[in-house]
Amino acid sequence: MWVAHLSPRHPAQVIVLGFAGAVLIGTALLMLPTSKVGPGSATFLEALFTATSAVCVTGLIVVDTPVYWTGSGHVIILALIQVGGFGIMSFASLLGVLLARRMGLRSRISAAAETKSVGFGDVRGVLLGVLRITLIVEVLTAVVLAARFLLGYGYGVGEAVWLGVFHSISSFNNAGFALFSDNLIGFAGDPWICLPICAAVIIGGLGFPVLFELRRHFRYPRTWHVNTKLVLTGTVILLVLGTVFITAVEWSNPATLGALRPEERLLAGFFQSTMTRTAGFNSVDFAQLNPVTLLAMDVLMFIGGGPAGTAGGLKITTFGVLLFILYTEISGGNAVNIFGKRLPRSVHRQAISIVLLAVGLVISATMFLMLITDFGLDRILFEVISAFATVGLSTGITAGIPPAGQVVLILVMFAGRLGPVTLATALALRSKPLYYEYPKERPLIG
């Protein structure tokens, strides 16, 4: 009987325990002497931080990945990235199956007729669909990158293929780990490296439900689900606004875009706008960015990408729902409508709950790091949001943060990766019909 009480029953518990187990296994593997260059082995905190960053597909590092870890260590990191990215997409998609099965018959029929996309009862089909999309995107990206490393930079066949595979998996899973000490700064002006990585990042960040629906109904946008329309619209808007803002502010900064040719500045601006969607690669030195650029990136990272994908953050859909709630209140409407569909009030509450908890987590972690370090608010806030949104971008302060601060970042990465998914599921599964209501009374607002 006591064993039954210890076994997890809620889907959120299964996800948390599964990812925690992956982190612990990864930590143990990275602590092996064969994983580290030179004598001895990595410390527990170094291994734990790296494993958490890899499983949570973040990309923050406390040691130089290409220099500190051996080839075996790189393989372990890559495996953790793949497990983390595939696991998130699979778990988030399968939670949709669970939620659909918890609906009443009429709601399930309405949902099936409305989405015309994922067969919510087909668990095997969901998993195979995620696997198929993952393999296609990663293989195509790896081929292009390997060819460029081979033909454009003189790497040997084996090394070029390995570089292509590593950065392809890292980019599609929005991880941001690179096998170069300066990340991708050396390729800032190379479209054959930057654009394939951007494409993989964007595709991975859209989310499996969007990709599945686009594959089946690409020619019929009127039939797309509200989720797909929100993600695609928000992705385009944020990419364009981010590119314009970053490029304009950093255009004359000699330490970032100013040292590049005009066409390379545009490429680098687009690249960094894409990476704020939770990927973590950088083609410029973030320590030299204008503070206002860092603040703009804070906003982009906090919003994140699409749900049920490899991107982190609040998710575009959550942010979109909040915007439409705000618009409805300002315009005096009675119901929140998006693309001709009315949102249930439970969705309003879920979005507000996720945002408030996320803000509380970011503020708490930021205040703690400010108490134990001498770094400025802009750099600490950037680091914390990057960890929460599982982005992996950094101004270079990660390794200089005391051990207690690094432990906090580990917790923030873990909560940021699994928090929005598990919290949204928990809230949705806990919703129960009420057969009574209390009398209404309005407090003063504002």
Side-chain angles (χ1 to χ4, degrees), residues 33 85 88 93 108 114 180 186 199 204 220 264 392 431:
I88 281 293
S93 300
R108 291 176 61 183
E114 180 181 336
F180 304 97
Y220 309 99
E264 294 176 342
S431 59

Side-chain angles (χ1 to χ4, degrees), residues 106-397:
R106 180 177 300 178
S107 299
R108 291 176 61 183
I109 294 175
S110 300
E114 180 181 336
T115 60
K116 301 182 179 68
S117 54
V118 179
F120 284 117
D122 186 6
V123 175
R124 181 173 177 271
V126 171
L127 291 176
L128 290 177
V130 173
L131 179 61
R132 189 180 301 113
I133 290 174
T134 299
L135 291 177
I136 290 175
V137 176
E138 289 181 352
V139 169
L140 291 177
T141 306
V143 168
V144 176
L145 293 178
R148 183 57 177 168
F149 285 125
L150 176 66
L151 302 176
Y153 295 93
Y155 288 98
V157 175
E159 191 173 7
V161 171
W162 170 240
L163 289 173
V165 170
F166 188 96
H167 293 92
S168 170
I169 294 177
S170 183
S171 58
F172 175 71
N173 290 286
N174 282 220
F177 280 88
L179 293 181
F180 304 97
S181 294
D182 63 353
N183 207 277
L184 297 180
I185 292 178
F187 308 99
D190 190 344
W192 291 100
I193 297 293
C194 294
L195 292 182
I197 288 178
C198 284
V201 168
I202 293 171
I203 293 173
L206 290 178
F208 171 72
V210 173
L211 297 176
F212 193 88
E213 187 163 41
L214 290 178
R215 184 174 68 86
R216 297 184 60 182
H217 304 286
F218 181 77
R219 297 182 179 181
Y220 309 99
R222 291 185 178 181
T223 65
W224 292 351
H225 188 258
V226 169
N227 178 78
T228 300
K229 295 179 180 179
L230 267 177
V231 171
L232 292 179
T233 303
T235 297
V236 172
I237 292 175
L238 293 176
L239 282 175
V240 172
L241 291 179
T243 300
V244 172
F245 187 88
I246 294 171
T247 305
V249 175
E250 298 295 327
W251 185 268
S252 301
N253 185 346
T256 55
L257 301 187
L260 304 173
R261 296 194 300 269
E263 65 275 12
E264 294 176 342
R265 298 180 195 182
L266 293 175
L267 175 63
F270 172 72
F271 185 83
Q272 292 309 158
S273 175
T274 303
M275 294 310 119
T276 58
R277 315 314 315 291
T278 81
F281 292 107
N282 64 286
S283 61
V284 297
D285 186 358
F286 269 56
Q288 305 300 323
L289 287 175
N290 191 303
V292 71
T293 304
L294 293 177
L295 183 59
M297 288 182 169
D298 287 340
V299 176
L300 294 174
M301 292 190 300
F302 195 67
I303 295 173
T310 56
L314 291 177
K315 302 296 186 296
I316 293 176
T317 46
T318 305
F319 184 73
V321 167
L322 292 178
L323 284 182
F324 277 96
I325 291 176
L326 177 62
Y327 172 78
T328 302
E329 288 297 320
I330 293 176
S331 62
N334 295 321
V336 179
N337 302 312
I338 301 179
F339 300 116
K341 302 289 184 178
R342 181 173 59 85
L343 290 183
R345 293 190 179 276
S346 59
V347 175
H348 308 181
R349 297 193 297 269
Q350 291 170 22
I352 294 172
S353 299
I354 290 174
V355 171
L356 290 178
L357 289 174
V359 170
L361 176 63
V362 168
I363 292 177
S364 300
T366 301
M367 293 174 65
F368 179 78
L369 291 182
M370 290 180 69
L371 289 174
I372 65 172
T373 68
D374 295 327
F375 301 115
L377 172 61
D378 54 346
R379 302 180 76 179
I380 292 178
L381 180 62
F382 187 89
E383 192 84 7
V384 171
I385 293 180
S386 180
F388 166 77
T390 67
V391 179
L393 294 173
S394 175
T395 58
I397 68 173

